[in-house]
Amino acid sequence: MNDQRAAVPSCHADVVAVDAPPGTPVVALVGNPNVGKSTLFNRLTGSGRDVGNWPGTTVAVGRALWTDEDLGQAVLLDLPGAVSLDPQSPDEELTRDLVSRPDPRDRPDLVVVVASAVHLARGLYLLRQVLEAEVPCLLAVTMGDVASRRGITVDADELAAAAGVPVVVVDPRRGAGARDLVRAVALSLQPGPAGLCGVDGCTCPRGDCSCDHDPLAGPVAAAGTDDEALARAEERFAWVAGATAVSVHRRHDARDTWSDRLDRVTTAPVVGPLVFLAVMWVVFQLTTTVAAPLQEWLDALVSGPVSAAATRLLDAVGLGGTWVQGLVVDGLIAGVGMLLTFVPLMAVMFALLSLLEDSGYLARAAVVTDRSMRAIGLPGRAFLPLVVGFGCNVPAISGTRVLPDARQRLLTVLLVPFTSCTARLTVYVLVATTFFGDRAGTVVFAMYVVSILFVIVVGRLLRSTLLRRMPDDPLVLDLPPYQLPMLRLVAAGSWRRLRGFLRTASGIIVVTVIVVWALSATPAPGSSGTFGQVPVQDSVYAATAGAVAPVFDPAGFGSWESTSALMVGFVAKEAIISSWAQTFATAEPQAADTPGSLGDALQISFTESSGGYPIPAVLAFLVFLLAYTPCVATLAAQRREVGLRWTLTGVGIQLVIAWTVAVVVFQVGRLIA
Amino acid sequence: MTLDQAPVGAVATIGPIDAAPAMLRRLAELGVRTGEAVTPLHATAGGGRLLAVGDTRVALARDVLRRIEVVAP
């Protein structure tokens, strides 16, 4: 654990990351999961946040330069939700490491512990641990409205006196109390009596404590023997019980709340899974069918009027028909167009994620699906991104953020590409219709079964190899009370996530599309064309495909036409059919289930490349198509979530598995045939 | 009697818990610790139960419930 501590840059390294002047104070929000911490972060910093992985980790941390008239400037960090500073996941470990670094200068200047009034005791346990680490802190109490409906009130003055820290009651969803919190933060950051040490109620000035505290007696040393750790935990519970006894008042015993009545349905043995499936169906429908017309419209707009206008403009300035036109229309505009078509899909996905999270339903879905997901070593929450992956892998990978543990997120991010997205479906339909006629439907269905098998088998394989340290604890989950989602918050949250996606993905997608264009516009050595004026089969792109093709000989589809289609499929699976049409110089089919002359050309090509065994070769091709890298946008989303190293590892895993299984399918199929 | 057998809707006082230290600590942080009173609310999909722990609700898998002794309320 100390190694981890050394590898993770300190909080103050973030001053540079958010472009703040050196010496800007760092304020960190720390709290249990589902207490409104991130909503408070957004409330305080407006739209200027950046969510990204903490350097050296795959743990997501929100960061923003917080500017306010009462405060001046500070860097505000939204640290991962933590039940306590005794970490049980990489997320909690990062929070613990940043708060309790050995050198006080590396710690945040102030920690705001965010605690829910509904279960104040848990927040106070965390507060106590932060105090033990001798970090200046104050307490923000949220969810007072939910607590009030349950007959619970928190006396902030009594609590402040008992805990020895300033206490502010704040409603992050509506903003009430936010100004008080800013002032309390500003006061705590000032040197002098307002900033108190706080350990065990100590009132020494912060940073100048003359009492006999041992900062290492806190969470850092708690990693000693288990008995010592449990004994310290008992001490903390006693402290928490003392603080809540004087500050939390109950009007009545709220046993059967409407949240409980809803839970009796949503988590029930038979009805719960049915409700969950209905919710998943709605999510799947909305991310595919609702977004699809918008995607098609944007695609038609870019490839039609926008491209035509650009062509006319280039004609007007005398660049029509030159390579510049190819670069602008087929490279730049096509790349931006591809990025734009993802916008409706991602917007719908992010809005649904926010709705499910904010309402509290996601925690119930985790309970309902927990048992079945344990088969691949993932918690129930992983079901959501995997289901969405069958629509589109890109939002599914962003959807892995619902998982609280970084290792579980990583495994899910690596598994999502094996879920068969709808872009692959169009190719299945064309190929299956061409080669299997009436049995095409069965073949397409089989591809989905194979996709599920891939997820299960690869999941188990990764768990027993690269990700052996994954936790496998049985379900122990706190269920937050249901809340009505606030549309304004959902919209703001979705926009922030969408902007983050576009910022990360745009470069990769546009650059890859331009590179593919450039390769297909460059004449291969020995061919007669010039740059931008060469048939695709005479280009460097075709030459590259020809050079790679022998790799696929053992799988029965080692022709340059199939390889070239797979290379284009690396950019986007939708492009495979148009690539084939271009390669075979046939008209692109009007619909995937009416392949026409392209179908004939495919029959000939696969028969030739497989040495007379087209059916096993086509099955091998379909399996390869299913299992290898879905598209460049998926890679962009993966890079955003788990970094470049794991993204490339994932690509390697996909290619090795896709090739191996394709070869097995062809060789076995050939023997049977 | 263990918590998976405790009557639904009745307050039960937690007795000894047979779990690894990390699990013991996590349960304790969520309020499930020896001497505390909890109420099993209903069975959940997957074989676990939802508990009322003070003002909060905690879902536990059956494997966990079986390791938690309860004493007469």
Side-chain angles (χ1 to χ4, degrees), chain A residues 84 88 122 150 250 260 477, chain B residues 22 29 42 55-57 59:
Chain A
S84 77
Q88 295 199 7
R122 276 184 215 161
R150 294 188 172 194
R250 287 179 178 78
D260 286 334
L477 189 66
Chain B
E29 287 158 4
H42 60 83
D55 300 307
T56 66
R57 303 293 178 260

Side-chain angles (χ1 to χ4, degrees), chain A residues 397-544:
Chain A
I397 282 164
S398 299
T400 57
R401 297 211 160 218
V402 298
L403 290 163
D405 185 295
R407 285 164 296 188
Q408 292 165 343
R409 267 204 300 275
L410 175 60
L411 178 57
T412 315
V413 162
L414 293 176
L415 290 181
V416 163
F418 292 100
T419 57
S420 187
C421 66
T422 47
R424 278 170 263 193
L425 177 64
T426 53
V427 189
Y428 298 156
V429 172
L430 174 91
V431 174
T433 311
T434 303
F435 288 89
F436 300 97
D438 292 344
R439 287 173 295 152
T442 312
V443 172
V444 172
F445 175 75
M447 294 313 296
Y448 281 88
V449 175
V450 172
S451 170
I452 293 167
L453 287 177
F454 267 131
V455 171
I456 294 171
V457 173
V458 176
R460 296 186 77 102
L461 209 64
L462 287 173
R463 287 234 33 197
S464 56
T465 53
L466 291 179
L467 299 169
R468 270 197 297 269
R469 281 185 63 236
M470 283 258 304
D472 195 17
D473 297 329
L475 178 78
V476 174
L477 189 66
D478 171 53
L479 298 190
Y482 285 104
Q483 292 188 98
L484 279 177
M486 294 177 72
L487 284 181
R488 190 181 51 78
L489 288 181
V490 169
S494 307
W495 166 237
R496 250 188 306 276
R497 284 170 158 167
L498 184 64
R499 206 180 46 178
F501 166 76
L502 289 175
R503 208 162 39 200
T504 319
S506 55
I508 295 179
I509 293 175
V510 174
V511 166
T512 311
V513 171
I514 289 175
V515 166
V516 169
W517 168 80
L519 288 175
S520 55
T522 309
S527 67
S528 58
T530 57
F531 185 69
Q533 306 291 332
V534 61
V536 70
Q537 59 268 30
D538 295 332
S539 67
V540 170
Y541 184 78
T544 312

Side-chain angles (χ1 to χ4, degrees), chain A residues 307-357:
Chain A
S307 295
T311 307
R312 274 198 302 276
L313 196 68
L314 289 167
D315 281 342
V317 295
L319 291 168
T322 66
W323 65 268
V324 178
Q325 183 185 327
L327 172 66
V328 171
V329 177
D330 299 333
L332 209 56
I333 292 178
V336 172
M338 180 175 165
L339 183 70
L340 279 179
T341 57
F342 279 106
V343 170
L345 197 60
M346 300 303 280
V348 170
M349 178 66 197
F350 287 141
L352 289 171
L353 270 185
S354 295
L355 274 175
L356 292 174
E357 266 179 332

Side-chain angles (χ1 to χ4, degrees), chain A residues 229-298:
Chain A
L230 285 171
R232 278 204 74 78
E234 284 304 321
E235 278 176 34
R236 292 178 195 129
F237 284 124
W239 182 85
V240 168
T244 51
V246 297
S247 60
V248 179
H249 306 288
R250 287 179 178 78
R251 282 198 306 276
H252 53 81
D253 186 17
R255 180 96 308 164
D256 196 32
T257 63
W258 68 273
S259 195
D260 286 334
R261 289 192 285 274
L262 214 50
D263 274 340
R264 279 203 287 274
V265 177
T266 54
T267 63
V270 179
V271 183
L274 291 177
V275 171
F276 170 75
L277 286 176
V279 171
M280 283 302 102
W281 184 83
V282 171
V283 169
F284 190 79
Q285 286 294 312
L286 289 176
T287 49
T288 52
T289 54
V290 170
L294 278 169
Q295 283 182 284
E296 282 167 22
W297 180 79
L298 276 169

